[in-house]
């Protein structure tokens, strides 16, 4: 299995953190799921991957929605079997997204305003190209200042 890579891990040279954009620190190679996948499959992916939500896409990787741990817990609370509920029924459609060119500060504002942990990154056609998480932003900040301090 391919480990998700963050381009920020390979940045060299001093950078102003505020000039970074989503594609520089998003995770690409993100696993996405289909509307027909069951809740058990999603729960397995989230617990093994250590993330709180997964993107749901069509056969062309167009983003359809997102399923979070909360969605799975809600199904359990309603005494549904996760094996019998489908991602398409659980997902929040039209989630908050960013583009690869979205600036760091806009990403921070979106994460903060909506109390999100991760946001899908979609291209101009609405295709999933990555995910950006709060932790990725913080890592981008640390890498930017670390590199700057080395050279100053």
């Amino acid at each position: 299995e391919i480990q998700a890579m963050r381009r920020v891990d390979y940045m060299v040279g001093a950078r102003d953190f505020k000039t970074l954009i989503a594609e520089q620190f998003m995770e690409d190679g993100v696993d996405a799921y289909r509307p027909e996948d069951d809740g058990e499959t999603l729960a397995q992916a989230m617990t093994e991957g250590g993330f709180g939500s997964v993107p749901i896409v069509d056969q062309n990787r167009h983003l359809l929605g997102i399923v979070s741990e909360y969605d799975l817990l809600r199904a359990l609370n309603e005494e549904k079997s996760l094996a019998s509920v489908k991602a398409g029924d659980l997902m929040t459609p039209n989630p908050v997204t960013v583009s690869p060119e979205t600036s760091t500060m806009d990403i921070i504002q979106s994460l903060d305003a909506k109390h999100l942990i991760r946001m899908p990154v979609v291209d101009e056609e609405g295709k999933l190209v990555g995910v950006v998480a709060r932790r990725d932003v913080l890592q981008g900040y640390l890498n930017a200042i670390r590199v700057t301090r080395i050279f100053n």
Side-chain angles (χ1 to χ4, degrees):
E1 186 169 315
I2 298 169
Q3 181 65 36
M5 303 305 292
R6 293 173 181 83
R7 296 175 195 193
V8 74
D9 293 339
Y10 304 102
M11 284 189 340
V12 291
R15 301 283 176 100
D16 175 359
F17 171 69
K18 291 179 183 175
T19 67
L20 298 180
I21 57 175
E23 73 176 354
Q24 291 175 292
F25 53 84
M26 70 183 190
E27 298 171 46
D28 45 22
V30 172
D31 287 334
Y33 296 84
R34 303 288 299 281
E36 59 272 17
D37 288 331
D38 64 57
E40 216 167 84
T41 301
L42 303 180
Q44 188 86 36
M46 287 185 218
T47 55
E48 286 177 5
F51 33 75
S53 62
V54 291
I56 309 301
V57 297
D58 68 13
Q59 65 274 15
N60 299 315
R61 265 185 97 77
H62 289 103
L63 183 69
L64 300 174
I66 199 159
V67 174
S68 72
E69 290 168 321
Y70 289 115
D71 298 320
L72 296 173
L73 293 174
R74 192 174 308 112
L76 290 174
N77 193 44
E78 293 167 2
E79 300 190 14
K80 294 176 181 165
S81 158
L82 291 186
S84 66
V85 292
K86 301 295 178 208
D89 298 323
L90 293 168
M91 73 182 188
T92 301
N94 308 311
V96 177
T97 62
V98 294
S99 81
E101 295 78 34
T102 303
S103 76
T104 302
M105 301 316 277
D106 286 345
I107 291 167
I108 292 171
Q109 287 162 5
S110 292
L111 289 167
D112 185 45
K114 307 264 194 250
H115 302 285
L116 300 172
I117 296 170
R118 319 165 82 222
M119 288 186 300
V121 182
V122 296
D123 68 13
E124 59 282 345
E125 295 169 16
K127 286 187 180 179
L128 181 71
V129 294
V131 169
V132 65
R134 294 185 303 206
R135 190 169 299 151
D136 301 326
V137 176
L138 294 173
Q139 186 66 55
Y141 171 79
L142 291 173
N143 287 5
I145 63 161
R146 190 174 299 129
V147 169
T148 304
R149 286 184 182 146
I150 291 167
F151 293 106
N152 287 349

